[in-house]
Amino acid sequence: QQQVKQSPQSLIVQKGGIPIINCAYENTAFDYFPWYQQFPGKGPALLIAIRPDVSEKKEGRFTISFNKSAKQFSLHIMDSQPGDSATYFCAARKTGGGNKLTFGTGTQLKVEL
Amino acid sequence: EPEVTQTPSHQVTQMGQEVILRCVPISNHLYFYWYRQILGQKVEFLVSFYNNEISEKSEIFDDQFSVERPDGSNFTLKIRSTKLEDSAMYFCASTYNYEQYFGPGTRLTVT
């Protein structure tokens, strides 16, 4: 119940394409869903986040779509660039206790020229 | 822009030795965390710390691990007797409310 399932494991798109990464969760106590971007050898960097009271959030080229009834959320990257090549992790936070993040398994994205 | 810092960036230690990983969270943040990431795998929660005490810990965080905020700025993770399987990247994170910001990590190699 604490898991966050993420797919696909890896993704290759052409420059300008729109990669979509999907996550699903079971625990309805999750109340905050961030996406992190990680480059090799670096820490996860917060990209964008959403709370379940909205269905979509957009920041620059990054959009989160959230489907509360299906318990799914996804990241879309518009006009993808080679510099977007990284590993992307979705996460979920359960309110209360330590407010820890539970991470998905990650998606390795490669944007080719 | 404020950021979480961690030292050292890489620590090599022998099995059975004690290590202390250090973090300086963002100054006005209230919650502090340690996570770890074994090479090529997902980020796993270890422990959260609030108001000078542990608020939650995972199954990984056994008696070999401890955390401390020895002063107003540092946050440390101690592994008392390291095992080969403790080799991983260790990330410190902090938050004021929702957004958790991660440090660059310490790569711990246990030989």
Side-chain angles (χ1 to χ4, degrees):
Chain A
Q1 253 228 334
Q2 292 296 323
Q3 280 189 333
V4 177
K5 294 181 182 177
Q6 183 171 347
S7 63
Q9 189 175 6
S10 62
L11 190 53
I12 301 174
V13 299
Q14 296 297 309
K15 181 175 178 289
I18 306 176
I20 300 172
I21 304 170
N22 300 297
C23 284
Y25 64 97
E26 289 294 322
N27 191 340
T28 54
F30 288 142
D31 68 344
Y32 170 76
F33 302 87
W35 284 90
Y36 284 84
Q37 178 188 58
Q38 186 179 34
F39 293 103
K42 304 292 184 187
L46 180 62
L47 203 54
I48 186 173
I50 198 167
R51 298 192 64 186
D53 50 350
V54 298
S55 60
E56 186 175 278
K57 185 173 179 182
K58 188 173 180 179
E59 283 183 7
R61 295 185 294 107
F62 300 93
T63 299
I64 301 178
S65 298
F66 190 85
N67 185 330
K68 188 175 180 178
S69 59
K71 290 185 276 189
Q72 295 175 346
F73 58 109
S74 58
L75 177 71
H76 303 230
I77 306 175
M78 307 301 175
D79 187 28
S80 58
Q81 303 295 314
D84 296 328
S85 298
T87 300
Y88 292 81
F89 290 95
C90 63
R93 189 201 88 149
K94 182 170 70 72
T95 194
N99 296 326
K100 69 177 185 185
L101 290 177
T102 300
F103 281 82
T105 48
T107 296
Q108 272 195 310
L109 171 66
K110 185 174 181 183
V111 182
E112 294 181 334
L113 287 166
Chain B
E1 189 173 312
E3 57 183 19
V4 177
T5 59
Q6 290 185 242
T7 53
S9 57
H10 191 190
Q11 174 91 49
V12 181
T13 190
Q14 288 191 326
M15 200 166 50
Q17 295 297 303
E18 174 184 287
V19 294
I20 297 175
L21 310 183
R22 292 182 167 80
C23 167
V24 180
I26 294 172
S27 63
N28 65 336
H29 283 187
L30 303 175
Y31 298 83
F32 314 112
Y33 304 84
W34 285 100
Y35 292 83
R36 81 171 185 192
Q37 185 179 34
I38 294 170
L39 187 64
Q41 297 186 24
K42 69 176 180 180
V43 179
E44 297 176 288
F45 168 77
L46 291 178
V47 65
S48 59
F49 193 84
Y50 170 73
N51 201 25
N52 280 319
E53 59 183 25
I54 291 173
S55 46
E56 189 173 358
K57 58 184 181 179
S58 72
E59 293 171 354
I60 303 166
F61 194 89
D62 62 21
D63 292 344
Q64 295 301 312
F65 291 87
S66 62
V67 289
E68 194 179 32
R69 188 153 162 84
D71 53 44
S73 58
N74 291 282
F75 180 50
T76 61
L77 174 70
K78 183 195 287 186
I79 309 175
R80 241 178 298 279
S81 177
T82 49
K83 305 183 188 71
L84 292 175
E85 54 265 36
D86 293 328
S87 295
M89 282 289 285
Y90 287 81
F91 295 108
C92 175
S94 70
T95 182
Y96 180 80
N97 190 3
Y98 282 93
E99 293 86 7
Q100 283 191 29
Y101 294 94
F102 283 71
T106 293
R107 178 172 298 284
L108 176 64
T109 302
V110 182
T111 61

